[in-house]
Amino acid sequence: QIRFHSCAVVGGIQATDTSHPRNSAIRHLTKNLLQKYHKEVRPVHNWSEATTVYLDLFVHAVLDVDAQNQKLKTSIWYREVWDDEFLYWNTSMFDDIREISLPLSAIWAPDIIINEFVDIERSPDLPYVYVNSSGTVRNTKPIQVVSACSLETYAFPFDIQNCSLTFNSILHTVEDIDLAFLRSREDIKHDKKAFLNDSEWELLSVPSTYNILQNSAGDFAQIQFNVVIRRRPLVYVVSLLIPSIFLMLVDLGSFYLPPNCRARIVFKTGVLVGYTVFRVNMSDEVPRSAASTPLIEIFFTVCMAFLVLSLSKSILLIKFLHDERCSGQERPLLCLRGDTDADGTRMDPKAQLAGNTESPICQEHQAQSGTLKEVWSQLRSISDYVQAQEQADQREIEWLALLYRFDRLLFRSYIIMLGLYTITLCSLWALWSSW
Ligand SMILES: *[C@@H]1O[C@H](CO)[C@@H](O)[C@H](O)[C@H]1NC(C)=O
Ligand SMILES: *[C@@H]1O[C@H](CO)[C@@H](O)[C@H](O)[C@H]1NC(C)=O
Ligand SMILES: *[C@@H]1O[C@H](CO)[C@@H](O)[C@H](O)[C@H]1NC(C)=O
Ligand SMILES: *[C@@H]1O[C@H](CO)[C@@H](O)[C@H](O)[C@H]1NC(C)=O
């Protein structure tokens, strides 16, 4: 065991021995570079010269689009490159080392931040940067940015979002730190190689601008990248739009039933329940924001309003028809009652006659004129009743005609609304696909 141990130790020493010269060169170089380095000094010989920081950005993934809180979460790969005039060496003096990595904490670094960030950026704390022999420092890091963005949900699910990421130095003015693009702006704009394709969002482009922000503290250089993304709508079309259109078509089909049919109410109620269940199910699929309501939400509400309107119309119609039927049943009864009354009155004098055999003739005359009067009044009351009934019937018929007209109007509005819905969706889709 001891022999094995000593062997291992010897082996270890030998291994360090073989790589000893290079190892010492790199240590020597690092020591050399950092010995007289002051990281608190901006690395320029001439202080009036600005340090130019070159920025580059790859959008890697869109992690979350939160319309309710107006936040966008993206994963980006960010690179900054600058020249450090104090970090350079003669490669032939250091074993041809062209690049070494140095701890970021040991050298000067620009204080560039993203203006829109609203949450702690989660980026792995990478401790090293690369420096080459002419003093160019490269710092690359992946960042998860949660940025504030004004998200428009109006055209959901055919929406395009435009969120900006603005980089600038938090403290240094443009006289000290200037910004520039590492690649050409066209390259940055159309670079989608790093983007993960199979998410809900599709990267359209990353246009960028350089400008100088002037405020009371001075002029600041800033670079703005606009991340333009568009939603893939297929899943929403299949799960949201098509079912809603089907429900509307079913509802439209109910106009095919005669308007005075009671089954229509049952049918409409069924559709209304179906619609409610559908909306409750879909409520978390539709993004909500206080600023803008999605157009399809408005459409759902309008559809519901139409459903309720036509349902109440059907109920009204059935009520009128029911009234009519009731009065239709009552009428013969009344007539019958009238007949029995008339019979009774007619029988009465006869009974009187039968009862009073010794009655005088004038009495009979009186009785006869009494019955005539009674008949007359009965006839009048009947004719009054019939007239009133006719008037009521007339009014009912007018009401019914009005309701039937309303039914037709509603049907036309349904058609118009469905047409508008379809046209709007198609134009939104056309706008979406024209990007
Ligand atoms: C680098 O060092 C070599 C050898 O020491 C020397 O010949 C050469 O001139 C130096 N180059 C520069 C740019 O100083
Ligand atoms: C160091 O990197 C910069 C930028 O990539 C390049 O322009 C320069 O030529 C490199 N220097 C050496 C000595 O390779
Ligand atoms: C994105 O928004 C910025 C302003 O924030 C605007 O300048 C730019 O034109 C917009 N880009 C697109 C493609 O809409
Ligand atoms: C995403 O798709 C584009 C073309 O649309 C392709 O160039 C790119 O390599 C794809 N990215 C990934 C990560 O697959």
Side-chain angles (χ1 to χ4, degrees):
Q1 202 183 7
I2 293 165
R3 236 176 60 195
F4 173 73
H5 190 80
S6 63
C7 245
V9 168
V10 169
I13 289 165
Q14 270 178 348
T16 47
D17 270 347
T18 49
S19 62
H20 182 70
R22 192 176 166 78
N23 217 349
S24 79
I26 204 165
R27 201 192 296 160
H28 188 51
L29 174 59
T30 309
K31 226 172 164 183
N32 234 343
L33 285 174
L34 295 182
Q35 213 164 35
K36 287 179 202 149
Y37 192 86
H38 291 285
K39 69 170 189 171
E40 50 284 340
V41 182
R42 193 160 60 83
V44 282
H45 288 298
N46 177 3
W47 68 270
S48 61
E49 231 173 75
T51 302
T52 303
V53 180
Y54 297 87
L55 300 187
D56 197 4
L57 177 116
F58 300 88
V59 179
H60 178 229
V62 174
L63 301 176
D64 191 20
V65 178
D66 183 353
Q68 191 163 15
N69 301 313
Q70 300 278 297
K71 285 196 297 196
L72 173 78
K73 190 169 172 187
T74 39
S75 161
I76 57 172
W77 286 340
Y78 167 67
R79 191 154 61 155
E80 48 188 25
V81 173
W82 68 93
D83 278 324
D84 193 318
E85 293 178 10
F86 303 147
L87 290 177
Y88 63 93
W89 65 92
N90 186 339
T91 50
S92 52
M93 278 168 71
F94 291 96
D95 206 11
D96 266 348
I97 300 175
R98 298 191 171 279
E99 270 189 327
I100 58 163
S101 59
L102 291 179
L104 182 61
S105 56
I107 64 168
W108 180 89
D111 54 345
I112 288 170
I113 58 147
I114 300 172
N115 256 331
E116 286 89 357
F117 81 98
V118 287
D119 207 345
I120 38 166
E121 318 172 352
R122 249 179 295 159
S123 59
D125 210 9
L126 299 175
Y128 292 104
V129 291
Y130 247 127
V131 184
N132 77 7
S133 59
S134 51
T136 303
V137 183
R138 276 191 293 137
N139 185 14
T140 308
K141 56 184 172 186
I143 319 179
Q144 245 183 48
V145 197
V146 180
S147 59
C149 176
S150 122
L151 296 164
E152 282 291 334
T153 53
Y154 180 72
F156 173 85
F158 301 107
D159 48 342
I160 293 166
Q161 307 293 355
N162 174 6
C163 294
S164 51
L165 299 172
T166 313
F167 292 84
N168 62 344
S169 166
I170 188 86
L171 180 73
H172 294 90
T173 57
V174 68
E175 286 95 45
D176 287 336
I177 290 184
D178 199 3
L179 300 177
F181 295 102
L182 191 61
R183 290 182 294 162
S184 80
R185 286 175 53 195
E186 276 303 302
D187 280 358
I188 297 175
K189 185 170 178 181
H190 298 297
D191 185 9
K192 297 169 198 168
K193 280 200 287 293
F195 192 72
L196 292 179
N197 279 334
D198 40 357
S199 83
E200 187 185 334
W201 295 87
E202 184 185 351
L203 184 68
L204 288 177
S205 62
V206 189
S208 46
T209 49
Y210 168 87
N211 53 315
I212 288 180
L213 179 76
Q214 290 169 329
N215 65 18
S216 56
D219 299 348
F220 294 86
Q222 67 175 27
I223 281 183
Q224 182 170 1
F225 295 97
N226 288 312
V227 181
V228 184
I229 50 177
R230 116 181 138 176
R231 196 191 293 268
R232 291 205 170 89
L234 189 64
V235 59
Y236 295 103
V237 170
V238 169
S239 71
L240 217 65
L241 294 186
I242 292 180
S244 78
I245 285 176
F246 278 166
L247 270 172
M248 283 310 285
L249 283 180
V250 166
D251 191 26
L252 197 66
S254 75
F255 281 93
Y256 192 63
L257 291 173
N260 55 357
C261 175
R262 268 152 213 265
R264 206 157 140 174
I265 290 188
V266 180
F267 190 86
K268 289 241 179 225
T269 316
V271 174
L272 191 62
V273 168
Y275 219 88
T276 313
V277 169
F278 170 74
R279 284 203 55 184
V280 167
N281 263 349
M282 290 301 144
S283 62
D284 19 310
E285 301 251 338
V286 182
R288 269 155 221 287
S289 76
S292 63
T293 314
L295 201 64
I296 68 166
E297 277 279 314
I298 296 172
F299 267 119
F300 287 168
T301 309
V302 170
C303 285
M304 205 118 172
F306 265 86
L307 255 171
V308 169
L309 203 65
S310 71
L311 187 60
S312 26
K313 188 227 66 191
S314 289
I315 289 172
L316 225 65
L317 192 68
I318 296 292
K319 181 193 169 292
F320 274 114
L321 287 176
H322 183 73
D323 275 0
E324 194 188 40
R325 201 157 307 154
C326 281
S327 56
Q329 278 168 351
E330 261 167 33
R331 214 175 318 155
L333 259 174
L334 271 176
C335 287
L336 224 75
R337 209 179 337 136
D339 271 355
T340 48
D341 276 359
D343 276 351
T345 46
R346 227 176 287 153
M347 284 296 281
D348 230 353
K350 273 182 189 170
Q352 275 179 356
L353 266 171
N356 287 340
T357 40
E358 292 145 338
S359 56
I361 294 168
C362 60
Q363 217 177 8
E364 200 179 320
H365 263 290
Q366 267 180 348
Q368 263 184 348
S369 66
T371 39
L372 271 178
K373 259 186 197 161
E374 207 141 333
V375 165
W376 171 242
S377 72
Q378 286 288 336
L379 275 175
R380 267 193 60 175
S381 75
I382 286 172
S383 98
D384 279 354
Y385 177 77
V386 165
Q387 246 174 10
Q389 200 65 38
E390 258 177 8
Q391 270 174 2
D393 278 0
Q394 195 64 34
R395 242 179 293 135
E396 240 165 46
I397 284 168
E398 275 167 17
W399 268 107
L400 280 179
L402 199 69
L403 280 177
Y404 275 99
R405 272 232 300 278
F406 186 56
D407 194 59
R408 252 173 289 143
L409 190 75
L410 212 58
F411 179 72
R412 277 184 209 140
S413 323
Y414 256 79
I415 297 278
I416 290 172
M417 192 194 58
L418 273 182
L420 270 179
Y421 190 32
T422 318
I423 290 169
T424 317
L425 284 181
C426 285
S427 49
L428 281 179
W429 181 67
L431 260 177
W432 175 90
S433 57
S434 72
W435 266 87

